[in-house]
Amino acid sequence: MHAFDYVVLFFSFVYAGAIMHLLATAAEIIIAGKRVRRSWLNAGWMLTALLGTSSWWIGMWDLRGQASWAMGMICLFFCVACGFYLLSRLVSPRIEAGADVDLVAFHVENGRKYIAVFAALCVAAIAVNTLLGAAVGVGQWVEQNVAIIPMLAAAILAAIFVRKTWLQFACLAVVLAMWGWYFSPLQGALKG
């Protein structure tokens, strides 16, 4: 087994857990149906968590040429994977059986926490792209940072002004637009 395969298999369990948590919560919201006061903001940040988790998991492919993995690099990428699990858990409300669920209130009460974690993960992405991008030959690390920097700025604003609904929607629109750009031309095909 190649070092890359071994390390990515380890991270994959954490990323898969994060995605599973998001999907399970989405299913619980659908099942709860009329008992749920839906929030487009919370749904948008759940989608953001899913896209962020997926982008890091897919982005690991760029490191397939690494012949060896230093313990510091393994720890860094494991911490990022754990950060995405934490984000997925924080953005996903508990759906109690038989109880009414107010996702608008959930976002107001908890939005700052999960948006701040997303902002921290954006900082990690910018740092990893900058420090490792050129070193390991990831060709689009500058362009990826150009997509991530507006996400970071929008997340910081959204975390600060969590009670300003119009600003929340504007910030979320910026984040989702940048994800659209990130996944269309910047996330190349997996080859090899």
Side-chain angles (χ1 to χ4, degrees):
M1 178 179 272
H2 189 274
F4 172 78
D5 301 326
Y6 188 74
V7 169
V8 169
L9 180 64
F10 177 56
F11 300 149
S12 293
F13 286 108
V14 182
Y15 286 126
I19 291 171
M20 182 182 71
H21 196 79
L22 289 164
L23 296 176
T25 300
E28 288 175 359
I29 290 169
I30 293 168
I31 290 168
K34 293 180 181 180
R35 294 186 294 112
V36 177
R37 180 178 174 213
R38 288 176 173 68
S39 166
W40 286 107
L41 291 170
N42 179 253
W45 285 106
M46 286 179 72
L47 177 60
T48 295
L50 178 65
L51 294 172
T53 304
S54 300
S55 74
W56 271 85
W57 196 350
I58 293 167
M60 293 294 298
W61 183 250
D62 291 334
L63 302 173
R64 67 192 176 282
Q66 288 293 108
S68 65
W69 284 70
M71 192 53 66
M73 193 166 156
I74 292 170
C75 288
L76 170 69
F77 282 101
F78 181 68
C79 286
V80 169
C82 290
F84 276 104
Y85 183 84
L86 178 64
L87 172 62
S88 296
R89 180 62 192 99
L90 289 173
V91 76
S92 300
R94 292 182 190 261
I95 309 299
E96 303 289 335
D100 289 342
V101 180
D102 186 348
L103 296 181
V104 173
F106 177 83
H107 176 74
V108 170
E109 292 169 16
N110 297 289
R112 183 170 285 128
K113 297 171 195 167
Y114 54 76
I115 296 168
V117 171
F118 177 74
L121 290 166
C122 286
V123 170
I126 292 166
V128 166
N129 283 344
T130 302
L131 299 174
L132 294 178
V136 299
V138 177
Q140 295 181 318
W141 65 272
V142 173
E143 292 88 350
Q144 290 175 354
N145 277 353
V146 170
I148 296 167
I149 289 169
M151 287 190 219
L152 173 60
I156 290 169
L157 280 174
I160 292 170
F161 300 106
V162 76
R163 295 187 185 275
K164 298 223 181 273
T165 305
W166 68 270
L167 184 60
Q168 289 287 309
F169 277 109
C171 291
L172 185 57
V174 168
V175 170
L176 293 175
M178 290 295 100
W179 277 127
W181 182 53
Y182 183 90
F183 277 107
S184 55
L186 295 182
Q187 193 64 271
L190 296 178
K191 298 176 187 171

